[in-house]
Amino acid sequence: MRTNLGLDERTSPTTPSGARRNGAKLKPTPHHADTREHKLGATARSFAILEHVASSRTPVDVLDIISSVKLPKATAYRLVDWFISQGYLAREPGRRRLIVGPKLTNLAFGALSASMRHDTPHVVLQRLVHTLNETCNIGTLLNGEVVYLDRVEAEHWPLRLHYTIGSRVPLHCSAIGKLYLALAASPRRRRLLQSLELRRFTDSTITDSARLDSELRQIRKEQVSFDRQEYLVGVVCMAVPVIGKNGEMLAALAIQAPEARMSVQTARRHLPTLRNAAGELAEIFQDNA
């Protein structure tokens, strides 16, 4: 006995007579096609908005989105409001213009970090660690903190620092953090400094804003930054920028070691090697863009 689920050839109202028997393929109804097309259109519009805001070097106005992405005004405002409510976009403090929100930043960081673990940048980092015999990492700025995108520990040393990919350290007392502060455009640097709590982590932590400003000027001049046991007692770090063709800072490359093994003077001897690796990373990042 054949079980009828209500969709057999004789009783289904949506199946043309003889269509299955003759092997003919059913075409989607115009309504279904329109719905699918509408969903694809909404998705494309959403990504277009996010890409536009993320790629802009300055905060974006909704009217700019309407003009650049070619969206109806009502659609643009509705999508922007939804992205803000979900944390993918945010309003610039005190103004109406749009910036990337924390949720989109975290999504981008997760994708970038995952792609790097088995990609060419990781090979460059491994080779650098093998050459210098010290731990090295690649870091970026995320929501006012330094986040490690990738990290390779020096294997033969008994003392390990318990950091992993995704670990976060403060801006004002880390080599990468001070590098980002120093090389940021003046308006952004002011915003970052205003939001910073110059918390003391060690006796060497810079907690005076005037002294930090002087340090940042020196970093801008030399294009290299040092953590002189400012975050962890006994740990020294040196960082250099990974600079793109347009002069933008793509990431930072750092070497980190116990002070007993690597003083600031010793770290400086590694500077040419670190800068060569940073140049190699810059080419890789831009080729993958």
Side-chain angles (χ1 to χ4, degrees):
M1 179 182 297
R2 188 174 72 170
T3 302
N4 187 345
L5 298 179
L7 294 174
D8 105 344
E9 297 164 278
R10 292 169 298 175
T11 60
S12 172
T14 59
T15 305
S17 176
R20 285 191 176 181
R21 287 190 297 272
N22 297 330
K25 292 185 178 179
L26 299 181
K27 295 182 179 180
T29 63
H31 171 72
H32 289 160
D34 290 345
T35 302
R36 191 161 56 243
E37 204 171 302
H38 171 75
K39 288 180 179 178
L40 288 173
T43 301
R45 290 170 172 177
S46 298
F47 276 109
I49 290 174
L50 294 178
E51 287 176 0
H52 182 72
V53 177
S55 63
S56 176
R57 300 177 70 90
T58 58
V60 173
D61 189 89
V62 179
L63 294 178
D64 180 49
I65 291 175
I66 293 170
S67 172
S68 300
V69 184
K70 305 294 189 257
L71 286 179
K73 188 174 182 179
T75 300
Y77 275 100
R78 184 176 68 253
L79 289 173
V80 164
D81 286 344
W82 187 85
F83 283 135
I84 292 173
S85 71
Q86 299 301 309
Y88 289 101
L89 296 179
R91 296 284 185 189
E92 187 183 19
R95 309 187 71 168
R96 298 289 295 170
R97 292 183 301 179
L98 299 167
I99 56 176
V100 169
K103 204 166 183 179
L104 182 57
T105 303
N106 287 331
L107 179 64
F109 167 75
L112 180 59
S113 180
S115 69
M116 288 182 66
R117 290 170 199 162
H118 307 288
D119 208 347
T120 314
H122 187 75
V123 175
V124 173
L125 204 58
Q126 285 178 317
R127 188 169 67 243
L128 183 64
V129 171
H130 179 74
T131 301
L132 300 180
N133 294 319
E134 297 294 358
T135 295
C136 296
N137 54 65
I138 301 171
T140 190
L141 181 62
L142 178 66
N143 296 334
E145 292 179 300
V146 172
V147 183
Y148 292 146
L149 288 171
D150 200 359
R151 179 177 175 83
V152 176
E153 291 268 4
E155 293 183 357
H156 63 287
W157 294 108
L159 177 61
R160 295 293 184 92
L161 300 174
H162 296 288
Y163 291 117
T164 60
I165 296 171
S167 290
R168 305 184 180 215
V169 295
L171 282 178
H172 70 289
C173 56
S174 62
I176 292 179
K178 289 190 292 182
L179 191 66
Y180 265 101
L181 284 172
L183 300 185
S186 296
R188 190 185 188 198
R189 181 167 58 253
R190 282 196 299 269
R191 290 196 300 270
L192 288 169
L193 289 171
Q194 287 170 359
S195 66
L196 278 183
E197 176 192 357
L198 300 184
R199 176 185 166 192
R200 182 178 295 282
F201 289 88
T202 73
D203 291 341
S204 301
T205 304
I206 299 175
T207 57
D208 178 73
S209 57
R211 186 181 160 203
L212 179 59
D213 187 61
S214 175
E215 171 98 351
L216 298 181
R217 284 198 299 271
Q218 186 64 27
I219 292 170
R220 280 196 296 278
K221 180 180 177 182
E222 292 190 313
Q223 298 286 297
V224 60
S225 176
F226 295 93
D227 167 5
R228 304 171 178 86
Q229 304 185 64
E230 296 162 46
Y231 183 52
L232 292 175
V233 174
V235 176
V236 170
C237 185
M238 178 178 70
V240 297
V242 177
I243 301 294
K245 293 176 183 176
N246 296 327
E248 75 276 25
M249 186 169 168
L250 305 175
L253 177 64
I255 180 173
Q256 188 177 54
E259 194 272 342
R261 219 170 46 231
M262 188 183 77
S263 65
V264 170
Q265 290 72 28
T266 304
R268 281 189 179 276
R269 293 202 291 268
H270 297 316
L271 193 51
T273 305
L274 208 65
R275 282 180 167 153
N276 285 339
E280 192 174 350
L281 287 171
E283 292 183 6
I284 293 168
F285 290 156
Q286 290 175 131
D287 288 343
N288 292 339

